[in-house]
Amino acid sequence: MSILAIDYGEKNIGLALVPEGTTTAVPLDTISNSGKWNLRTDLEFFVKQKNVKKIVVGMPLSMDGTKGPQAERVQVFVDFLRDETPWDVDTVDERLSTAEAQRYAKEAGVDLDSVAAVMFAQSYVDRNNT
């Protein structure tokens, strides 16, 4: 089963994929957030092309585990996907992956949004394969 990881942002959406038959997340292109309906269409392309069976959205919880304003925006997006698509959508805590992604992206000179998606996708896979 392929897994599509989404790092939801107000401007950009970072994407990562765990291809079917593997347990390693790889980055995909970052896409622009041009509204939930356009984003749904953009994601549908990846879901079909990559045979995605599970979508995992990073939830930016506060360090104490509560939902701040950004987490509330992400929750609205997750609820939209659950209500308006047939996709299996889950969330994953991305608290620590963001800081790690920022360090890695800066050192490697790569896109932060997709790196963040790779990191929490990998965490999700590792946690669910043990």
Side-chain angles (χ1 to χ4, degrees), residues 36-53:
K36 62 184 177 183
W37 290 101
N38 290 333
L39 184 53
R40 178 184 180 265
T41 301
D42 293 343
L43 294 174
E44 189 170 34
F45 168 79
F46 288 100
V47 168
K48 288 180 180 178
Q49 183 189 50
K50 305 295 185 183
N51 194 31
V52 171
K53 301 298 182 206

Side-chain angles (χ1 to χ4, degrees), residues 14-127:
L15 301 173
L17 181 75
V18 180
E20 188 170 357
T22 72
T23 57
T24 303
V26 294
L28 297 174
D29 291 336
T30 297
I31 59 176
S32 294
N33 186 347
S34 56
K36 62 184 177 183
W37 290 101
N38 290 333
L39 184 53
R40 178 184 180 265
T41 301
D42 293 343
L43 294 174
E44 189 170 34
F45 168 79
F46 288 100
V47 168
K48 288 180 180 178
Q49 183 189 50
K50 305 295 185 183
N51 194 31
V52 171
K53 301 298 182 206
K54 167 77 84 181
I55 293 179
V56 178
V57 181
M59 185 59 70
L61 300 172
S62 300
M63 289 310 285
D64 65 1
T66 60
K67 287 184 178 177
Q70 181 60 23
E72 292 296 337
R73 286 188 282 278
V74 171
Q75 188 62 58
V76 168
F77 172 68
V78 167
D79 292 342
F80 168 76
L81 290 180
R82 288 177 176 157
D83 292 343
E84 300 295 334
T85 71
W87 306 333
D88 183 8
V89 181
D90 202 357
T91 61
V92 63
D93 183 352
E94 70 167 31
R95 279 181 281 191
L96 300 178
S97 64
T98 301
E100 187 178 345
Q102 287 173 329
R103 283 191 300 276
Y104 180 82
K106 185 177 180 181
E107 290 172 9
V110 295
D111 180 67
L112 172 63
D113 299 308
S114 292
V115 170
V118 165
M119 293 197 171
F120 67 74
Q122 194 63 57
S123 172
Y124 179 86
V125 168
D126 292 347
R127 187 177 67 245

